[in-house]
Each structure stands twice: as C-alpha cells, then as structure tokens.
Amino acid sequence: PPPPSESDDLQQTVKDVTRFRALVMIIVVLGLVVLQPVAMQPLPVAVLGLAFVAYLLVLHFAVLPRYGSSYTILVMILLDIGFITLALYFTGGVESILFTLFPISIMYSAVSLGYGGSFVAATAVTLCYGLLLVKTGTPASISGFLPLQMPFFYLLAGLSGYVVQLERGAKEIRRRI
C-alpha cells in the first residue's frame, strides 16, 4: 500500500481532535454533575457549555473543511485550553475535578502536533493555571501548588512528545517492512 500522505495524516488528526472534544464534553458534564452540590455559578457554566457547543459546530462545519492545517489544530487546542480555564474558574478554581483536563490537553497536543505542540500547550496551560491560582487560590495553595505543578506541565509535555516520537518511528519501521 502507498504511504499515507500529509493530508491523510491531517484528516486523521482532525478526527482525533473531534474525539478529544467529545471526551472533553463528557468529562465537563460529569464534572458538573459531581460538583452540583458545591456552590458554583450555574448561569455562567450553562453559557460556557452552550458557547463550547457552538464553537464545536462552527469548527466542524465551517473551519475544518476549509482551513485544515497544523496551525488550525494548534489554535483549536489553545481555544480548548481557554474553555477549560473558564470551566475551572466557574466550578471552583484549581481544586476542581476538571483540573485533569489541563494535563489531558497537553498530552493530546503531543499526539496531534508532536513536541512543539505539546510545549506550546504546556506554556498556555502554565499561564492559565497561574492566572487561575492567583485569581481563585489561597496564599497557602499558591505557595504549595505553583512550584510543583508548573514544572510538571513541561515534564508531561516532554514525556508525551517523546512517547509520540517513539510511536511514529515504530510506525515508520513497520511501514518499511
């Protein structure tokens, strides 16, 4: 069989990004169901959820068919991190269960875009996490979380990028055989 072209890889990445968005929606909905007893702001969360659904529809029907490129995927991942940050803000800050979406977005960036994408995502997550921590955290949580979590994001980006590079190399070797 002929080797897959760059457009085939891009189409697969777009499909994977769509699956990731579905996973994000499921986790956010489950997180909100779990957090319901906690005092959260229901109107902003509902508006954020509707905005995310509208964003997904625009991406799927208008943006991706016309502008499918690595840069488009990078922008989409950065927008996802923005939505995750807002969801965390309205559901209790960095101590929210939705915090797990930050590391997931870093790992997914590595799968979609390799080392470069994972480090860009780690930088965006670090900035958003720091802003959230300053805005919603207590002085004790800032001094406890900040020095530990920020290097973790970059370590996760490097490890994810490395694993993806190994897998891509193994696929190339299998293709040659």
Side-chain angles (χ1 to χ4, degrees), residues 131-148:
L131 289 173
L132 266 176
L133 202 52
V134 168
K135 186 77 174 158
T136 64
T138 62
S141 67
I142 291 173
S143 65
F145 286 130
L146 206 57
L148 296 174

Side-chain angles (χ1 to χ4, degrees), residues 6-68:
E6 188 174 320
S7 67
D8 292 339
D9 288 342
L10 188 61
Q11 290 298 328
Q12 183 61 41
T13 300
V14 167
K15 288 178 186 176
D16 292 342
V17 168
T18 303
R19 288 186 199 123
F20 175 69
R21 281 180 175 62
L23 174 68
V24 168
M25 287 298 288
I26 290 168
I27 291 173
V28 167
V29 168
L30 290 175
L32 294 178
V33 169
V34 169
L35 293 173
Q36 194 63 34
V38 176
M40 63 180 193
Q41 304 168 21
L43 182 61
V45 170
V47 170
L48 182 64
L50 291 174
F52 191 72
V53 169
Y55 160 69
L56 292 178
L57 291 172
V58 168
L59 278 176
H60 185 70
F61 293 109
V63 175
L64 291 176
R66 294 184 185 140
Y67 306 107

Side-chain angles (χ1 to χ4, degrees), residues 138-166:
T138 62
S141 67
I142 291 173
S143 65
F145 286 130
L146 206 57
L148 296 174
Q149 292 290 2
M150 296 211 177
F152 167 74
F153 294 138
Y154 287 103
L155 179 65
L156 182 63
L159 289 174
S160 300
Y162 178 72
V163 169
V164 167
Q165 183 179 358
L166 285 177

